[in-house]
Amino acid sequence: MKILVIEDEQALLESILAYFTGEGNICEHASDFAAAYEKISLYSYDCILLDLGLPGGEGLELLTKLKQLKKRDGVLIISARHSLDDKLMGLDLGADDYLVKPFHLSELKARVSAIIRRKNFDGDNVILFNEISVDVSAMKINVKGNQVILTKKEFDLLVYFLSNRNKVVTKNAMAEHLWGDEMDLSDDFDFIYTHVKNLRKKLLEAGAADYLRSVYGIGYKFGDI
């Protein structure tokens, strides 16, 4: 998962970042309105964790900005505000869920995972694509009953392809999704080719059809043959 944490409380921010990165996720952060707006304008995320009270602006305004930018990022509001009006306003403006502070990090993770499943896979834990079965929660892949062992990056790449099936995805978008915004200026995407090659090899060896296609000069397409 690629997550943006918008939070100005330093201790909480560090706890969230440590928790999610410790599980292999890509995490970026912003601690004020201006930095958060720059992030959402330039990049896309699986889920944005959004605090409402931010230095320099109001978190709810960022929801309006996301809508204006026509972004489809999942949004989970994390706030100390308990009022029903704040919750309803946030949800009306496009947030997917609202979690009141304080909370357990395990609950936060469960809420984030549920948002991503709803956004990309109609709420299912298991993604089915022809003979390929992917259990997102357990991180298990099966092809015709054969278990496929993937690295974390290969697994994330497969899920990314499945969430964008039959679409052409650029190498830059793939790099940003898997490694974060520090890769956006890279001109060398050989590492992408290596991960794609290894993913394709493992799926083929397990008995899957070859669904991956290279789109010259652009990137890759995963989908129906």
Side-chain angles (χ1 to χ4, degrees):
M1 295 186 292
K2 185 183 177 188
I3 299 168
L4 173 62
V5 185
I6 304 174
E7 170 63 60
D8 66 326
E9 186 181 331
Q10 190 64 28
L12 178 58
L13 172 63
E14 291 176 359
S15 294
I16 293 174
L17 292 175
Y19 184 80
F20 280 98
T21 56
E23 298 201 340
N25 300 291
I26 299 298
C27 292
E28 298 171 14
H29 67 277
S31 299
D32 57 53
F33 184 91
Y37 181 60
E38 181 179 26
K39 288 281 191 183
I40 66 171
S41 299
L42 293 174
Y43 309 109
S44 296
Y45 300 91
D46 292 312
C47 192
I48 297 171
L49 307 184
L50 175 63
D51 188 18
L52 296 184
L54 295 170
E58 171 59 42
L60 290 174
E61 188 179 344
L62 289 172
L63 286 172
T64 302
K65 298 291 187 184
L66 280 168
K67 188 177 295 184
Q68 292 171 349
L69 293 167
K70 302 187 184 304
K71 292 294 192 76
R72 298 187 64 254
D73 310 47
V75 178
L76 171 58
I77 293 176
I78 50 174
S79 175
R81 301 179 189 175
H82 292 259
S83 79
L84 180 60
D85 287 343
D86 282 324
K87 292 181 182 179
L88 293 178
M89 186 177 298
L91 295 173
D92 286 343
L93 286 173
D96 297 281
D97 201 353
Y98 193 111
L99 184 60
V100 176
K101 300 176 184 177
F103 48 76
H104 292 289
L105 291 172
S106 56
E107 181 181 4
L108 179 65
K109 178 190 173 184
R111 299 280 191 107
V112 169
S113 297
I115 289 172
I116 293 172
R117 288 197 304 271
R118 288 198 301 270
K119 286 282 185 182
N120 295 329
F121 308 112
D122 299 322
D124 292 330
N125 277 322
V126 177
I127 309 165
L128 297 175
F129 180 74
N130 297 337
E131 69 275 19
I132 301 173
S133 171
V134 180
D135 187 324
V136 179
S137 296
M139 291 184 62
K140 290 184 177 180
I141 304 96
N142 276 278
V143 175
K144 298 180 179 179
N146 301 312
Q147 187 173 357
V148 183
I149 306 300
L150 300 180
T151 67
K152 180 65 167 62
K153 292 299 184 186
E154 291 165 359
F155 179 85
D156 289 344
L157 185 58
L158 176 58
V159 172
Y160 184 63
F161 277 136
L162 289 171
S163 65
N164 291 278
R165 66 185 69 173
N166 296 316
K167 299 177 184 177
V168 176
V169 292
T170 67
K171 293 177 183 177
N172 190 75
M174 293 162 63
E176 180 194 320
H177 182 81
L178 294 175
W179 281 273
D181 61 6
E182 68 270 17
M183 297 304 304
D184 65 338
L185 299 177
S186 176
D187 293 323
D188 183 359
F189 293 109
D190 287 346
F191 57 91
I192 288 291
Y193 170 76
T194 299
H195 284 294
V196 170
K197 181 182 71 173
N198 291 339
L199 174 61
R200 172 188 276 137
K201 181 175 182 288
K202 291 178 180 180
L203 291 176
L204 289 175
E205 288 177 345
D210 190 2
Y211 297 110
L212 266 166
R213 294 288 178 270
S214 175
V215 181
Y216 182 75
I218 301 176
Y220 295 91
K221 180 180 179 181
F222 186 100
D224 297 311
I225 300 173

